[in-house]
Amino acid sequence: MSVPINIAEGCGRKSDAQFSHFLNIAAGSASEVEEELLLSYELDFLDKETYQLLDSDIKEIKAMLSKLIDSIK
């Protein structure tokens, strides 16, 4: 929930600098999710196929956030 909520909060700010700040927070949250997925896999809460699918998705989200942050600078 933190990733889209921070993006939405940043959209409501009045400057690109503030928007970028919240996008960076969202990117940090995405990194947290990435680590939580790995931990879930290592603890056998996720099978390999599910882990790989979700890990690929979160990496794609992080890449999109990075490009968006770069485009605002």
Side-chain angles (χ1 to χ4, degrees):
M1 294 284 302
S2 181
V3 174
I5 289 171
N6 277 295
I7 294 169
E9 186 171 354
C11 285
R13 298 301 171 138
K14 296 184 187 270
S15 73
D16 285 347
Q18 289 177 321
F19 183 34
S20 181
H21 171 74
F22 281 93
L23 290 174
N24 278 295
I25 293 171
S29 294
S31 291
E32 289 176 355
V33 170
E34 189 175 33
E35 182 59 30
E36 290 162 354
L37 284 172
L38 178 59
L39 182 60
S40 295
Y41 173 66
E42 289 177 345
L43 294 173
D44 291 325
F45 295 132
L46 295 174
D47 60 59
K48 186 174 185 175
E49 183 180 338
T50 301
Y51 166 72
Q52 289 174 333
L53 176 66
L54 294 173
D55 187 58
S56 175
D57 288 346
I58 198 66
K59 283 180 175 25
E60 183 178 356
I61 290 167
K62 288 175 64 176
M64 288 188 289
L65 280 169
S66 179
K67 288 179 184 177
L68 182 56
I69 291 164
D70 288 345
S71 75
I72 293 172
K73 291 180 181 176

